[in-house]
């Protein structure tokens, strides 16, 4: 692929963005670096649920009534990351929509493979619905990359279990298929995440689990899921699997808005957050969330 195939707003950043990031030998280093970061807890409630799951809670100011809520799930290939990494994004959702946002610190693979991370997200969802000031009938779930994969899995899990039923799922370039499907797997435009990293992440997450159950893209029955928004770039490793999933959602009768960003690689909106395409990507999510909340 020629450099010109990368979106003009992303070309400068692409030169300094690694094509691959997470491998077995880099994971301990990246985790140590993450542990050295000190999050800004100003205005954030840092909580530990009875189940032991950590949550970062962001509330709107000056709101006397109950608000809709978003359960946000961070990315990191199922093996890396913390809720604090998305502080800026969660605060943006609160400011733009006037909602409550809870970001969950789920357990990571390979130490905690499926279903542990998903169970943590489900526990956080149940807790969020009981939180004073939150409207339990207007709760959305969302996440990026592996967080998007957990969002898709959580939507399925919530459908199949008693408890809170999310009204919407926000799937930001979700990691949903362990088979790494598509004809573009070795595309030179990929950044941050490549097939080798994907294979490592999925192996760690699945452990001994049946992928037909654990990987959302392998699920055959998608009926009855909440409406969805799905966004992905054309240079994202997940492009093909994501668009296929969106089509299958629609075929199952689930409304799904798709936002494709030409020339965008994985995680582009976090790397070049102020680019016009990143801003449009964010506001597309906000518009869908606002509509799902009925406002």
């Amino acid at each position: 692929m020629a450099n010109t195939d990368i979106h003009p707003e992303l070309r400068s950043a692409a030169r300094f963005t690694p094509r691959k990031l997470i491998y077995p030998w880099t994971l301990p280093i990246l985790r140590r670096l993450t542990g050295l970061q000190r999050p800004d807890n100003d205005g954030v409630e840092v909580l530990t649920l009875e189940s032991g799951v950590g949550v970062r809670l962001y509330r709107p100011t000056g709101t006397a009534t109950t608000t809709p809520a978003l359960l946000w799930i961070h990315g990191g290939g199922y093996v890396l990351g913390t809720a604090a990494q998305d502080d800026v994004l969660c605060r943006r959702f609160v400011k733009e929509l006037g909602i409550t946002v809870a970001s969950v610190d789920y357990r990571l693979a390979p130490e905690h493979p499926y279903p542990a991370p998903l169970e943590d997200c489900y526990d956080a969802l149940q807790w969020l619905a009981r939180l004073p000031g939150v409207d339990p009938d207007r709760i959305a779930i969302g996440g990026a990359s592996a967080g998007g994969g957990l969002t898709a899995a959580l939507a399925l899990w919530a459908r199949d279990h008693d408890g809170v039923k999310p009204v919407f799922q926000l799937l930001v370039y979700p990691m949903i298929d362990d088979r790494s499907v598509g004809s573009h797997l070795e595309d030179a435009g990929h950044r941050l995440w490549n097939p080798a990293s994907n294979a490592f992440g999925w192996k760690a997450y699945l452990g001994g689990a049946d992928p037909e159950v654990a990987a959302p893209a392998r699920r055959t029955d998608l009926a009855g899921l909440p409406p969805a928004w799905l966004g992905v770039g054309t240079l994202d490793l997940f492009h093909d699997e994501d668009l296929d999933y969106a089509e299958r959602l629609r075929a199952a009768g689930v409304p799904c808005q798709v936002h494709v960003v030409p020339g965008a690689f994985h995680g582009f909106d976090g790397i070049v957050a102020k680019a016009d395409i990143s801003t449009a990507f964010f506001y597309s999510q906000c518009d869908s969330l606002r509509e799902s909340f009925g406002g």
Side-chain angles (χ1 to χ4, degrees):
M1 165 181 285
N3 187 53
T4 53
D5 292 323
I6 296 175
H7 193 282
E9 291 187 285
L10 304 177
R11 286 176 195 160
S12 295
R15 290 198 292 267
F16 304 100
T17 304
R19 299 177 188 273
K20 48 194 176 184
L21 187 63
I22 298 177
Y23 285 91
W25 68 270
T26 63
L27 183 59
I29 299 171
L30 293 171
R31 282 183 171 179
R32 283 197 293 272
L33 291 174
T34 300
L36 293 174
Q37 297 173 354
R38 292 292 177 263
D40 178 8
N41 292 333
D42 185 33
V44 181
E45 297 175 54
V46 183
L47 308 168
T48 301
L49 309 186
E50 290 183 5
S51 61
V53 178
V55 170
R56 294 177 69 81
L57 184 66
Y58 316 78
R59 297 179 188 262
T61 58
T63 302
T65 59
T66 58
T67 71
L70 169 66
L71 180 72
W72 182 257
I73 308 173
H74 72 80
Y78 297 112
V79 297
L80 184 69
T82 67
Q85 75 188 39
D86 291 329
D87 275 348
V88 172
L89 176 63
C90 291
R91 287 184 173 110
R92 287 182 74 191
F93 279 128
V94 173
K95 182 179 179 180
E96 180 66 24
L97 299 170
I99 64 174
T100 299
V101 177
S103 185
V104 55
D105 257 322
Y106 56 88
R107 287 170 290 175
L108 299 174
E111 295 85 354
H112 304 283
Y114 175 91
L118 180 57
E119 290 174 340
D120 289 349
C121 294
Y122 189 65
D123 285 345
L125 176 64
Q126 303 303 307
W127 168 83
L128 183 58
R130 298 190 299 268
L131 189 69
V134 166
D135 183 347
D137 294 322
R138 292 191 294 167
I139 295 179
I141 56 178
S145 194
L150 283 168
T151 298
L154 181 58
L156 288 157
W157 189 279
R159 181 198 64 182
D160 298 338
H161 291 77
D162 293 333
V164 181
K165 305 298 182 186
V167 298
F168 196 72
Q169 52 179 323
L170 193 69
L171 306 174
V172 183
Y173 34 81
M175 180 179 173
I176 52 176
D177 199 327
D178 64 297
R179 297 166 293 188
S180 291
V181 298
S183 59
H184 64 304
L185 298 183
E186 299 299 335
D187 199 312
H190 292 160
R191 294 294 186 274
L192 295 179
W193 201 249
N194 70 351
S197 296
N198 205 42
F200 169 61
W202 274 109
K203 182 179 179 181
Y205 176 65
L206 290 174
D210 181 359
E212 297 290 340
V213 175
R218 288 182 179 250
R219 298 289 292 270
T220 56
D221 180 12
L222 303 182
L225 293 174
W229 179 99
L230 186 149
V232 67
T234 57
L235 299 184
D236 197 310
L237 179 70
F238 302 145
H239 174 269
D240 289 9
E241 67 189 59
D242 286 355
L243 294 191
D244 178 72
Y245 192 70
E247 285 303 312
R248 292 180 54 226
L249 284 173
R250 289 169 172 169
V254 178
C256 181
Q257 178 186 346
V258 175
H259 187 113
V260 176
V261 186
F265 47 79
H266 192 70
F268 73 96
D269 55 325
I271 295 171
V272 192
K274 294 184 179 180
D276 289 344
I277 56 171
S278 300
T279 300
F281 196 65
F282 170 73
Y283 281 112
S284 178
Q285 297 169 46
C286 289
D287 290 344
S288 291
L289 284 168
R290 189 179 290 109
E291 182 179 352
S292 76
F293 294 141

